[in-house]
Amino acid sequence: MILYTMMPQELIFPNDTEAFSRQQTVTYQGVSMIVEQSDAQNVQVIRILSSDPQHYLDERLCPGAKISCASIEGLSSN
C-alpha cells in the first residue's frame, strides 16, 4: 500500500500512544497546526499543516514556538 500524505509517519502510525494523545490540531491566525500542551496557559507548536511557504517563514509559528491558549481556535479543554 502506498500512502501519499504530508503527515509524518509518526502521526499516522504512532509508536507511543500517550505522546500522540497529547497532540491536538488547532487553528492560529488562520494557520492549521499540531500543538502540544506545555503548561496551563501555553501550547508548543509541533508541526505546521499548511502549503503556504509564508507560514513557514513566520517566527511566531515555527516548531517549538509557544502560543497562548487564549488566542487559539479549536483547542479543546482537557
Side-chain angles (χ1 to χ4, degrees), residues 29-48:
Q29 296 184 351
V31 180
S32 294
M33 59 182 65
I34 296 176
V35 298
E36 187 174 275
Q37 194 79 32
S38 61
D39 57 41
Q41 289 104 15
N42 297 313
V43 293
Q44 184 173 8
V45 177
I46 303 296
R47 177 176 288 274
I48 301 171

Side-chain angles (χ1 to χ4, degrees), residues 63-78:
K66 292 194 177 182
I67 301 173
S68 172
C69 292
S71 59
I72 296 179
E73 302 171 21
L75 186 65
S76 60
S77 55
N78 295 338

Side-chain angles (χ1 to χ4, degrees), residues 10-68:
E10 295 82 26
L11 288 180
I12 298 168
F13 306 108
N15 295 330
D16 183 8
T17 56
E18 182 182 329
F20 181 71
S21 66
R22 292 189 307 249
Q23 297 178 356
Q24 299 177 6
T25 303
V26 298
T27 303
Y28 176 67
Q29 296 184 351
V31 180
S32 294
M33 59 182 65
I34 296 176
V35 298
E36 187 174 275
Q37 194 79 32
S38 61
D39 57 41
Q41 289 104 15
N42 297 313
V43 293
Q44 184 173 8
V45 177
I46 303 296
R47 177 176 288 274
I48 301 171
L49 304 174
S50 175
S51 59
D52 185 354
Q54 292 299 318
H55 294 159
Y56 292 88
L57 297 174
D58 191 346
E59 292 180 8
R60 297 171 295 163
L61 307 177
C62 67
K66 292 194 177 182
I67 301 173
S68 172

